[in-house]
Amino acid sequence: MCGIAGFVGSWSPALAGAMTAAIAHRGPDGDGLWSADTGVALGHRRLSIIDLSAAAAQPMHSADDRYVLTYNGEIYNFRELRLELEQAGTVFRTGSDTEVLLALFARDGLDCVNRLNGIFAFAVWDRRDRVLSIARDHLGVKPLYYAALPQGFLFASELKPLTLCPDLPRDIDAAAVGDHLGFLWTAGENTMLRAVRKLRPGCALTVTADGAVTPSRFYRTPQFDDAAPPTPDDAAALRDMIDRVVADQMVADVEVGALLSGGVDSSAIVAAMCRATDPSKITTFCAAVTKPDSGTDNFGDDRTHARTVAKHLGVKLIEVATDADLIAALPDMVWQLDEPTADFAAVQTLLLARAARDNGIKVLLSGVGGDDLFTGYGRHTAGLIWAGANRVPGLRGLGAAMLGLFPPSSILGRRLKRIGSLLAMPEDEMLADGMSYSAVGADRRRALLAPGLRDSMPADGIAEGLRASLDRTRGHHPVDRFLDLELNGFMPDHNLNYTDKMAMQAGVEVRVPLIDRRLVAYAMQLPLSAKISLRETKRILRASQRDRLPGEILTRPKQGFGVPVRSWLQGPAREMMEDLTSTATISSRGLFDADAVAALKADFYAQRVDAAFTLFPMMAMELWCRALDNAETAGP
């Protein structure tokens, strides 16, 4: 729920008011601004989900008025924590999780985060010690951006409000440009603006009134434990744990619905919801997309599968047309996402969230995270193949040479060629490149950057934000290492980012049970063989649902959230691409090399290179920069 913003610094409270107003979409049910102490302001936009009364409004003060809290999220175990605090003498005046969080912080300080089961981003001002504390949830479901400037410290749920500050430099981060070119997202703390950082999942900061910033980390996903073989009981235990987690995450004083694609992840969530409440009271939403006949983009029709699941479970299904005018939607999309994320799944998320809100639902459960926790992406299978081939001297090279002969003009050819290119790489480079959406190699991507920016991209193509994961997991199986990169990079920086930003544009909160930290801890101690084989991904998750879901759902292959980017760029969006990547535009912006871009487009049009997800990020970055150029600052 909600959106937060504020500062500690020399600015007027009016800046915090403007920052809060800029995220009104995140909280259409109310707003608040507190600025009683000199040099401090906290703002809040409210999406009412637990305790809908005015008494639960924010910013909220502790009973002794020492602490002031602005908070975005849901604490699923707030009732247990409340009982514990009440038994110790705390008296509550609301039924909200906000007040429980505030009382727990007043007792334990930032150590309170270790007791929280939920999704959150919050800021607490200590009026006595004049210290601001901010924190972000364990897996990074809720976003939090900040900027430490000479004039003070700014924070907000989204990046856009920070650009309202007239003192915020708008210099582009060259490393982020390279990241977006290869991955569609920025790894680590970086954003497109050099002055703005993302607070990492499981991290906190304290900021004193004089601007001293102290970072800390309270959580990181656990290491893998592949020692124990899988047992038949593991699937049943996983099913029961999913049931508990889903029941916990349905806590709300409003109706809770679900996103249902008909894949195993979302279907497992809805099946668990049916154990927690009457299925006839559950409303689900699926995307209805017209599949093109080009054969170059991999996605199917979710409607058929979602209908099968909805009928089987007895839940209501609303089909949402998501054939949006993508050309018209793109400029707004990249600015709303706070970064130039070139993934049209974001638009579909927005349309689904709008449909939910139109049907009176402002909380949705999603299957996001199943692929990242239990395996599900093609790169996981590629990692398994790489590890097997690596055991035989010369086999990786032979496989790379043979698979490299396939043309990229079909889905199968593109996949085989991609596996071949990964087989040719050393392990760390294979892992980094496997996380990339781009089928253009790191050397050529680096050459696409303007000469002055090329040194910001490492020669091996490994984004700096990925190195901590690679260093931490060295010696583990490549697929395990992929999963660590997913959970600590791709998921919070891409999937969860666009899910939150687009749903909150419609005033809808999306909860993600499959990455509850209890499930993450359980999955990490399972052997890799329980998750993946050459024939099947998500093995244990599928097994856990065999008595609940139709067989055709459990055997359905992985397919994307359908937008035909390749055929789109070759056809209706070609004029737009030519405008955004013209020699004049490229030269004026100064981020890319105009000659290198022109050569890549020629190869793409001739279908010599699968460059759609390299050119598309360039387009998104130009549109984002144009929006930044036009973004106004707040008055004095």
Side-chain angles (χ1 to χ4, degrees), residues 288-301 303 323 411 559 562 564:
V289 181
T290 302
K291 184 176 180 179
D293 56 9
S294 66
T296 58
D297 293 277
N298 175 41
F299 65 87
D301 183 1
R303 284 176 293 187
D323 288 317
I411 293 173
Q559 289 180 307

PDB file of all heavy atoms in Angstrom, residues 288-301 303 323 411 559 562 564:
ATOM      1  N   ALA A 288      -5.705 -10.998 -22.144  1.00  0.00           N
ATOM      2  CA  ALA A 288      -6.207 -11.536 -23.408  1.00  0.00           C
ATOM      3  C   ALA A 288      -5.464 -10.843 -24.538  1.00  0.00           C
ATOM      4  O   ALA A 288      -5.621  -9.645 -24.758  1.00  0.00           O
ATOM      5  CB  ALA A 288      -7.706 -11.286 -23.522  1.00  0.00           C
ATOM      6  N   VAL A 289      -4.604 -11.591 -25.217  1.00  0.00           N
ATOM      7  CA  VAL A 289      -3.729 -11.037 -26.245  1.00  0.00           C
ATOM      8  C   VAL A 289      -3.954 -11.770 -27.552  1.00  0.00           C
ATOM      9  O   VAL A 289      -4.116 -12.988 -27.577  1.00  0.00           O
ATOM     10  CB  VAL A 289      -2.240 -11.181 -25.824  1.00  0.00           C
ATOM     11  CG1 VAL A 289      -1.335 -10.582 -26.885  1.00  0.00           C
ATOM     12  CG2 VAL A 289      -1.993 -10.528 -24.484  1.00  0.00           C
ATOM     13  N   THR A 290      -3.963 -11.032 -28.644  1.00  0.00           N
ATOM     14  CA  THR A 290      -4.018 -11.643 -29.967  1.00  0.00           C
ATOM     15  C   THR A 290      -2.610 -12.046 -30.387  1.00  0.00           C
ATOM     16  O   THR A 290      -1.727 -11.194 -30.509  1.00  0.00           O
ATOM     17  CB  THR A 290      -4.601 -10.666 -31.002  1.00  0.00           C
ATOM     18  OG1 THR A 290      -5.906 -10.275 -30.586  1.00  0.00           O
ATOM     19  CG2 THR A 290      -4.684 -11.332 -32.366  1.00  0.00           C
ATOM     20  N   LYS A 291      -2.411 -13.322 -30.573  1.00  0.00           N
ATOM     21  CA  LYS A 291      -1.076 -13.818 -30.926  1.00  0.00           C
ATOM     22  C   LYS A 291      -0.805 -13.588 -32.405  1.00  0.00           C
ATOM     23  O   LYS A 291      -1.614 -13.961 -33.254  1.00  0.00           O
ATOM     24  CB  LYS A 291      -0.957 -15.306 -30.603  1.00  0.00           C
ATOM     25  CG  LYS A 291       0.444 -15.876 -30.848  1.00  0.00           C
ATOM     26  CD  LYS A 291       0.530 -17.328 -30.412  1.00  0.00           C
ATOM     27  CE  LYS A 291       1.925 -17.872 -30.653  1.00  0.00           C
ATOM     28  NZ  LYS A 291       2.055 -19.274 -30.223  1.00  0.00           N
ATOM     29  N   PRO A 292       0.352 -12.968 -32.744  1.00  0.00           N
ATOM     30  CA  PRO A 292       0.667 -12.756 -34.161  1.00  0.00           C
ATOM     31  C   PRO A 292       1.085 -14.059 -34.830  1.00  0.00           C
ATOM     32  O   PRO A 292       1.439 -15.023 -34.173  1.00  0.00           O
ATOM     33  CB  PRO A 292       1.840 -11.771 -34.091  1.00  0.00           C
ATOM     34  CG  PRO A 292       2.512 -12.107 -32.806  1.00  0.00           C
ATOM     35  CD  PRO A 292       1.416 -12.490 -31.851  1.00  0.00           C
ATOM     36  N   ASP A 293       1.046 -14.060 -36.137  1.00  0.00           N
ATOM     37  CA  ASP A 293       1.430 -15.272 -36.876  1.00  0.00           C
ATOM     38  C   ASP A 293       2.836 -15.175 -37.440  1.00  0.00           C
ATOM     39  O   ASP A 293       3.204 -15.925 -38.341  1.00  0.00           O
ATOM     40  CB  ASP A 293       0.425 -15.544 -37.998  1.00  0.00           C
ATOM     41  CG  ASP A 293       0.270 -14.347 -38.948  1.00  0.00           C
ATOM     42  OD1 ASP A 293       1.058 -13.396 -38.824  1.00  0.00           O
ATOM     43  OD2 ASP A 293      -0.641 -14.384 -39.800  1.00  0.00           O
ATOM     44  N   SER A 294       3.647 -14.246 -36.884  1.00  0.00           N
ATOM     45  CA  SER A 294       5.004 -14.065 -37.416  1.00  0.00           C
ATOM     46  C   SER A 294       5.926 -15.217 -37.064  1.00  0.00           C
ATOM     47  O   SER A 294       6.884 -15.501 -37.759  1.00  0.00           O
ATOM     48  CB  SER A 294       5.598 -12.756 -36.878  1.00  0.00           C
ATOM     49  OG  SER A 294       5.791 -12.838 -35.475  1.00  0.00           O
ATOM     50  N   GLY A 295       5.655 -15.880 -35.935  1.00  0.00           N
ATOM     51  CA  GLY A 295       6.504 -16.988 -35.516  1.00  0.00           C
ATOM     52  C   GLY A 295       7.850 -16.583 -34.970  1.00  0.00           C
ATOM     53  O   GLY A 295       8.721 -17.424 -34.773  1.00  0.00           O
ATOM     54  N   THR A 296       8.049 -15.296 -34.684  1.00  0.00           N
ATOM     55  CA  THR A 296       9.354 -14.852 -34.201  1.00  0.00           C
ATOM     56  C   THR A 296       9.363 -14.542 -32.714  1.00  0.00           C
ATOM     57  O   THR A 296      10.419 -14.333 -32.141  1.00  0.00           O
ATOM     58  CB  THR A 296       9.814 -13.591 -34.958  1.00  0.00           C
ATOM     59  OG1 THR A 296       8.836 -12.569 -34.789  1.00  0.00           O
ATOM     60  CG2 THR A 296      10.007 -13.891 -36.427  1.00  0.00           C
ATOM     61  N   ASP A 297       8.183 -14.492 -32.070  1.00  0.00           N
ATOM     62  CA  ASP A 297       8.102 -14.154 -30.654  1.00  0.00           C
ATOM     63  C   ASP A 297       7.386 -15.269 -29.903  1.00  0.00           C
ATOM     64  O   ASP A 297       6.356 -15.785 -30.355  1.00  0.00           O
ATOM     65  CB  ASP A 297       7.355 -12.831 -30.450  1.00  0.00           C
ATOM     66  CG  ASP A 297       8.132 -11.646 -31.003  1.00  0.00           C
ATOM     67  OD1 ASP A 297       9.012 -11.159 -30.280  1.00  0.00           O
ATOM     68  OD2 ASP A 297       7.872 -11.237 -32.145  1.00  0.00           O
ATOM     69  N   ASN A 298       7.947 -15.633 -28.736  1.00  0.00           N
ATOM     70  CA  ASN A 298       7.442 -16.774 -27.989  1.00  0.00           C
ATOM     71  C   ASN A 298       6.455 -16.346 -26.915  1.00  0.00           C
ATOM     72  O   ASN A 298       6.845 -15.934 -25.832  1.00  0.00           O
ATOM     73  CB  ASN A 298       8.617 -17.534 -27.338  1.00  0.00           C
ATOM     74  CG  ASN A 298       8.106 -18.656 -26.448  1.00  0.00           C
ATOM     75  OD1 ASN A 298       7.169 -19.356 -26.797  1.00  0.00           O
ATOM     76  ND2 ASN A 298       8.716 -18.806 -25.278  1.00  0.00           N
ATOM     77  N   PHE A 299       5.173 -16.413 -27.216  1.00  0.00           N
ATOM     78  CA  PHE A 299       4.169 -16.313 -26.176  1.00  0.00           C
ATOM     79  C   PHE A 299       2.889 -16.946 -26.669  1.00  0.00           C
ATOM     80  O   PHE A 299       2.635 -17.064 -27.869  1.00  0.00           O
ATOM     81  CB  PHE A 299       3.950 -14.864 -25.725  1.00  0.00           C
ATOM     82  CG  PHE A 299       3.389 -13.944 -26.770  1.00  0.00           C
ATOM     83  CD1 PHE A 299       2.021 -13.836 -26.965  1.00  0.00           C
ATOM     84  CD2 PHE A 299       4.236 -13.174 -27.559  1.00  0.00           C
ATOM     85  CE1 PHE A 299       1.503 -12.974 -27.923  1.00  0.00           C
ATOM     86  CE2 PHE A 299       3.727 -12.314 -28.509  1.00  0.00           C
ATOM     87  CZ  PHE A 299       2.347 -12.212 -28.696  1.00  0.00           C
ATOM     88  N   GLY A 300       2.091 -17.398 -25.728  1.00  0.00           N
ATOM     89  CA  GLY A 300       0.857 -18.078 -26.078  1.00  0.00           C
ATOM     90  C   GLY A 300      -0.351 -17.297 -25.617  1.00  0.00           C
ATOM     91  O   GLY A 300      -0.266 -16.151 -25.194  1.00  0.00           O
ATOM     92  N   ASP A 301      -1.489 -17.951 -25.697  1.00  0.00           N
ATOM     93  CA  ASP A 301      -2.741 -17.336 -25.292  1.00  0.00           C
ATOM     94  C   ASP A 301      -3.059 -17.798 -23.875  1.00  0.00           C
ATOM     95  O   ASP A 301      -3.492 -18.932 -23.654  1.00  0.00           O
ATOM     96  CB  ASP A 301      -3.849 -17.751 -26.277  1.00  0.00           C
ATOM     97  CG  ASP A 301      -5.168 -17.080 -25.957  1.00  0.00           C
ATOM     98  OD1 ASP A 301      -5.218 -16.297 -24.996  1.00  0.00           O
ATOM     99  OD2 ASP A 301      -6.146 -17.350 -26.662  1.00  0.00           O
ATOM    100  N   ARG A 303      -5.456 -17.029 -22.062  1.00  0.00           N
ATOM    101  CA  ARG A 303      -6.889 -17.189 -21.784  1.00  0.00           C
ATOM    102  C   ARG A 303      -7.306 -18.654 -21.705  1.00  0.00           C
ATOM    103  O   ARG A 303      -8.049 -19.051 -20.802  1.00  0.00           O
ATOM    104  CB  ARG A 303      -7.713 -16.475 -22.851  1.00  0.00           C
ATOM    105  CG  ARG A 303      -7.756 -14.986 -22.710  1.00  0.00           C
ATOM    106  CD  ARG A 303      -8.509 -14.355 -23.864  1.00  0.00           C
ATOM    107  NE  ARG A 303      -7.806 -14.523 -25.134  1.00  0.00           N
ATOM    108  CZ  ARG A 303      -8.184 -13.947 -26.271  1.00  0.00           C
ATOM    109  NH1 ARG A 303      -9.280 -13.192 -26.282  1.00  0.00           N
ATOM    110  NH2 ARG A 303      -7.512 -14.113 -27.380  1.00  0.00           N
ATOM    111  N   ASP A 323      -4.280  -5.761 -25.730  1.00  0.00           N
ATOM    112  CA  ASP A 323      -3.722  -5.364 -27.025  1.00  0.00           C
ATOM    113  C   ASP A 323      -3.688  -3.839 -27.091  1.00  0.00           C
ATOM    114  O   ASP A 323      -4.436  -3.195 -27.828  1.00  0.00           O
ATOM    115  CB  ASP A 323      -4.571  -5.922 -28.166  1.00  0.00           C
ATOM    116  CG  ASP A 323      -4.394  -7.422 -28.309  1.00  0.00           C
ATOM    117  OD1 ASP A 323      -3.250  -7.886 -28.228  1.00  0.00           O
ATOM    118  OD2 ASP A 323      -5.399  -8.119 -28.490  1.00  0.00           O
ATOM    119  N   ILE A 411      11.997 -19.131 -33.654  1.00  0.00           N
ATOM    120  CA  ILE A 411      12.124 -19.282 -32.200  1.00  0.00           C
ATOM    121  C   ILE A 411      13.122 -20.388 -31.875  1.00  0.00           C
ATOM    122  O   ILE A 411      14.020 -20.215 -31.040  1.00  0.00           O
ATOM    123  CB  ILE A 411      10.747 -19.588 -31.574  1.00  0.00           C
ATOM    124  CG1 ILE A 411       9.818 -18.382 -31.723  1.00  0.00           C
ATOM    125  CG2 ILE A 411      10.896 -19.950 -30.106  1.00  0.00           C
ATOM    126  CD1 ILE A 411       8.388 -18.645 -31.285  1.00  0.00           C
ATOM    127  N   GLN A 559       6.143 -19.613 -21.216  1.00  0.00           N
ATOM    128  CA  GLN A 559       5.954 -18.659 -22.307  1.00  0.00           C
ATOM    129  C   GLN A 559       5.936 -17.249 -21.736  1.00  0.00           C
ATOM    130  O   GLN A 559       5.579 -17.037 -20.581  1.00  0.00           O
ATOM    131  CB  GLN A 559       4.638 -18.936 -23.058  1.00  0.00           C
ATOM    132  CG  GLN A 559       4.701 -20.216 -23.881  1.00  0.00           C
ATOM    133  CD  GLN A 559       3.406 -20.497 -24.615  1.00  0.00           C
ATOM    134  OE1 GLN A 559       2.345 -20.528 -24.023  1.00  0.00           O
ATOM    135  NE2 GLN A 559       3.500 -20.721 -25.909  1.00  0.00           N
ATOM    136  N   GLY A 562       2.892 -11.906 -23.337  1.00  0.00           N
ATOM    137  CA  GLY A 562       2.968 -11.681 -24.759  1.00  0.00           C
ATOM    138  C   GLY A 562       2.951 -10.293 -25.343  1.00  0.00           C
ATOM    139  O   GLY A 562       1.937  -9.633 -25.324  1.00  0.00           O
ATOM    140  N   PRO A 564       4.746  -8.945 -29.116  1.00  0.00           N
ATOM    141  CA  PRO A 564       5.610  -9.373 -30.231  1.00  0.00           C
ATOM    142  C   PRO A 564       6.638  -8.304 -30.591  1.00  0.00           C
ATOM    143  O   PRO A 564       6.535  -7.651 -31.636  1.00  0.00           O
ATOM    144  CB  PRO A 564       4.602  -9.592 -31.367  1.00  0.00           C
ATOM    145  CG  PRO A 564       3.514  -8.590 -31.075  1.00  0.00           C
ATOM    146  CD  PRO A 564       3.421  -8.515 -29.570  1.00  0.00           C
TER     147      PRO A 564
END
